[in-house]
Each structure stands twice: as C-alpha cells, then as structure tokens.
Amino acid sequence: MKIAMIAPIAWRTPPRAYGPWELVTSLLTEALVARGVDVTLFATQDSLTKATLAGPVPAPYSEDPSVDAKVWEMRHLAAVFERADEFDLIHNQADFPAHAFAGLVDTPMVTTIHGFSSDRIVPMYEPYQDRVHYVAISDADRHPRLRYADTIHHGIPIEDFPFDPAGSDDLLFFGRIHPDKGAAEAIAVAKATGRRLVMAGIVQDQGYWEREVAPHVDGECIVYRGPVGGVDRTATLGRAKALLHLINFDEPFGLSVVEAMACGTPVIAIRRGSMPELIEDGVNGFLVDSVEEAVAALARIDTIDREACRAAAAARFSVDRMADRYIALYRRILGR
C-alpha cells in the first residue's frame, strides 16, 4: 500500500511546539511506516520523518515570513497531485484546498477534517463528498450536511507522557490564548479558589491577551510560559492538579485534554463539542456548564484517581489504535 500523506505547512511536521494538525499527521505517518506501509510525506522541507519526505516548501509559513502561505500552499498541493498516479491513496490532513484537485485524478482520497472554523468553508467540502472520503475526529464534529467514512479519534504516544502520580497544587491552562479556549475563565477559577494557574500556549488573539489575560499575569499567582514543547510540555501537563478546559466553542477534539489524562492529570471541561466523548464524568475529570460549576468541581478533584485517568487515555487514545483504524479504512476504500 502506497500512501501520499499531505501535511499542513503552517508549522514543521512534527511541530517544534504548537501545531496540532502537524503533530497528528506526524504521529499517524510514523505509525504507518512502523507497520510497513509505504508513506510519502508531503510537508515542509525541514520536517522530520521515517517516511519518504517530499514537497517544495522550504519552511513553515508561520515561522518564516518569506514563505507566502497562499503561494506555497498551491505549490505544495500541486506537487502531490502531479504525482497522484504513483500512490494507491492520498490522505489529506491540510483542510479543504486539496479538494480543488480531487476531481482531476483517479487516486482515492481521504480527508481528515480537523474541525470547521465556520460554515463558510462547507462549500469546499459538500460538493466533493462523492469523491473524497471524510473522517471526523469526533462524533460531535460531524457536520449535518456531510457524509463520513468514519470517526477516528486522535491518538497519542502514551509512552511519551510520563505518569505523575501526585501532580501539584497548581492548575493548568494549556492551549491557544483565544476567547474560544477559555483562558479568562481559567483565570477566574484560579482566583476564586486561591490556586496558582500556569498558562501555556501561543497568543493567537493579541487583543484578547491584552484585555483579558495579560493584566492578571503576575508571575506568581498567574504564570504565563508561552508555547512549550518536548520534555517541558509533558512535565507541564503532568505537574498540574487539574487541566482547566473551559471552552467557549464546540471543541472538535482537544489533544491537550487527552495528553493531560495520559500524565494522570484530570480535566475540568465545559460540556461542549467532543468533551463528553473524551471525559467520563467523575472518572477522568468533570464536565461542567459554567465557571461556578468548575469551581465546585475543583473542590472534588481529589476524588479522581490519577491512575484511572492514565488508564482511560491508554485504552482509548493510543497512536496504535488510531493507526489501526486508518489502515482498516484504507483497506475498505481500496477493496482489500
């Protein structure tokens, strides 16, 4: 089986710090290669992989301002589809632009839909659903106007997330500094409970940062560490008493939620989007509907068994499980 894997080009694959789509693409690619699948990864030229690396993009456009996103995204996709007949299947992880090429080749195509920024992008999905096999990353993220080949949850390398049996007294916010992700709500919970809050993630909305977050960051009670990667990422996730995921949108999946649970850290999350699929209330965290309910849930956080959090993540969200589900899908599509 020969697979062309299309990575996004905003960040390196795998990313140095932030870059969830690139991270999932990397994890799946390496797992497929380990199973003997012949994968060509189309990604930025600085990407790291055991697959065959291909593509013209010199660097990620979010890291190198000389790389024009629109220009190089078209070059990137052209490089894939000009070679389409070399592959049994094309797996697109890079959103809707690839669909413009789908009708020009005979090679079957899968698109993993990593979420909908708005309904305005649906016109680049709906007309192509007879040609492209769509995969949802959660049942909650299935769009009512689209047909899906499967729902496949993301997987993480459990062994890369050391279990921390004790954690600390600190709360954790881990994600984009953006109104969607509930940074201000996390700060409100920390202040209401008198706990220290550690915040990690890129600033995606500068105005929101300046209005709602920065005035509270004092380096003692509210600490901002910026984007973290590598060992610092896993240590940060494991050291927390709880991850606060008090979102203001319908979260398509939530990698940080699963990563925290893998480290043994329970999650307090707003009951929206995929959260009820990831969190079993009272077992690996709590589902809440408001800041006030989050404060109340935090009073019960010690009733959560950190080993149970780890076990739930290992059983349901491993890279192996994700890779096996995708291989089964590829075989169904190819009639094997």
Side-chain angles (χ1 to χ4, degrees):
M1 190 186 306
K2 297 188 70 173
I3 305 293
M5 186 73 69
I6 308 177
I9 60 167
W11 307 97
R12 188 191 75 176
T13 302
R16 293 173 177 84
Y18 180 79
W21 295 15
E22 289 83 354
L23 176 59
V24 171
T25 303
S26 176
L27 291 171
L28 177 58
T29 297
E30 303 313 303
L32 293 174
V33 171
R35 285 160 171 72
V37 179
D38 184 348
V39 183
T40 298
L41 174 66
F42 289 85
T44 58
Q45 291 178 358
D46 60 346
S47 295
L48 306 174
T49 182
K50 291 182 180 177
T52 301
L53 181 62
V57 184
Y61 64 75
S62 291
E63 298 179 26
D64 186 339
S66 71
V67 177
D68 183 284
K70 182 179 288 188
V71 170
W72 285 98
E73 188 168 66
M74 292 302 101
R75 282 283 307 275
H76 179 55
L77 294 174
V80 179
F81 286 92
E82 285 166 4
R83 297 178 53 188
D85 60 358
E86 298 177 28
F87 304 103
D88 296 313
L89 186 142
I90 296 169
H91 189 159
N92 168 43
Q93 303 268 6
D95 216 351
F96 58 82
H99 299 163
F101 296 83
L104 306 178
V105 300
D106 295 326
T107 308
M109 184 171 164
V110 171
T111 289
T112 296
I113 303 177
H114 290 268
F116 293 94
S117 54
S118 79
D119 274 358
R120 291 187 301 172
I121 68 173
V122 175
M124 275 306 293
Y125 286 93
E126 195 170 17
Y128 300 94
Q129 57 189 330
D130 292 332
R131 176 69 185 86
V132 182
H133 303 269
Y134 294 143
V135 174
I137 59 174
S138 67
D139 286 335
D141 198 53
R142 285 184 173 231
H143 195 281
R145 282 159 49 191
L146 300 183
R147 293 187 300 277
Y148 290 83
D150 209 343
T151 294
I152 302 178
H153 289 146
H154 291 333
I156 63 171
I158 301 294
E159 64 279 3
D160 289 353
F161 291 84
F163 174 60
D164 188 327
S168 71
D169 288 331
D170 292 346
L171 302 177
L172 176 64
F173 170 88
F174 200 103
R176 298 176 283 122
I177 307 296
H178 185 280
D180 282 352
K181 288 291 191 176
E185 286 78 1
I187 292 170
V189 170
K191 292 196 167 188
T193 58
R195 291 184 182 269
R196 184 172 183 256
L197 176 68
V198 174
M199 308 186 75
I202 64 168
V203 175
Q204 194 173 58
D205 186 319
Q206 188 65 33
Y208 177 72
W209 161 262
E210 292 171 358
R211 292 189 312 272
E212 306 290 341
V213 179
H216 303 283
V217 175
D218 57 10
E220 295 183 7
C221 296
I222 310 293
V223 178
Y224 174 62
R225 292 188 175 158
V228 295
V231 174
D232 193 24
R233 177 186 182 89
T234 57
T236 300
L237 287 162
R239 274 197 300 261
K241 172 67 75 174
L243 173 70
L244 299 179
H245 201 67
L246 306 179
I247 50 175
N248 293 302
F249 79 127
D250 292 329
E251 179 78 78
F253 185 74
L255 267 177
S256 62
V257 170
V258 173
E259 291 170 342
M261 292 191 298
C263 296
T265 298
V267 181
I268 298 174
I270 293 291
R271 196 191 318 267
R272 290 189 64 170
S274 63
M275 292 302 99
E277 291 177 51
L278 308 189
I279 297 170
E280 186 178 354
D281 196 68
V283 174
N284 51 13
F286 294 108
L287 295 167
V288 300
D289 296 307
S290 66
V291 166
E292 292 74 21
E293 288 187 15
V295 170
L298 194 53
R300 297 180 286 135
I301 202 68
D302 288 332
T303 65
I304 300 291
D305 183 345
R306 293 178 70 93
E307 289 186 2
C309 291
R310 169 82 169 187
R316 298 180 56 212
F317 304 112
S318 69
V319 168
D320 288 342
R321 190 174 189 276
M322 173 177 67
D324 289 345
R325 292 285 304 277
Y326 273 112
I327 289 173
L329 174 62
Y330 298 160
R331 286 175 174 161
R332 288 201 304 274
I333 292 169
L334 297 174
R336 296 181 181 178

